Amino acid sequence: MELKCRNIILNYKTSGSSDFGKVCVYVDGEQVAELDGHSDGAWNNSVQALVLDEKESGSHVLELRMAEGDEGKNFTLLAIGYSEQEDN
């Protein structure tokens, strides 16, 4: 997805089930995070990850891909949040 923003936060679910895997997060073609949708003892709780935090807004491309080896697993993205600075 293409966004004009200065920061991006992702909200995702972690599960105790081994059916859930990892997602690689890319901003503007560079990997900035790896989010793990599986955690021993997890109970489908919500987790947040700040993946972009800049002072000025700009055009950015956000991409999520299942991590190598986890392509057949599940991952639940609950929300994508972003903000754009106000012009004064």
Side-chain angles (χ1 to χ4, degrees), residues 6-10 32-33 35 48-54 81:
R6 65 184 187 97
N7 52 40
I8 302 171
I9 189 167
L10 303 178
V32 296
L35 310 178
Q48 296 75 42
L50 182 64
V51 297
L52 179 72
D53 190 20
E54 298 185 342

Side-chain angles (χ1 to χ4, degrees), residues 15-87:
S15 172
S17 170
S18 60
D19 292 340
F20 285 79
K22 297 176 184 173
V23 161
C24 296
V25 180
Y26 297 84
V27 175
D28 301 329
E30 292 188 36
Q31 185 174 343
V32 296
E34 184 175 82
L35 310 178
D36 196 347
H38 172 259
S39 178
D40 290 333
W43 44 273
N44 297 325
N45 49 314
S46 173
V47 178
Q48 296 75 42
L50 182 64
V51 297
L52 179 72
D53 190 20
E54 298 185 342
K55 291 185 185 244
E56 302 289 328
S57 290
S59 180
H60 297 285
V61 176
L62 173 67
E63 182 180 358
L64 282 74
R65 293 184 221 151
M66 292 304 292
E68 188 174 324
D70 283 357
E71 296 88 352
K73 293 191 176 188
N74 299 317
F75 187 88
T76 303
L77 181 64
L78 300 170
I80 300 171
Y82 65 96
S83 67
E84 182 178 347
Q85 78 187 47
E86 294 182 23
D87 293 330

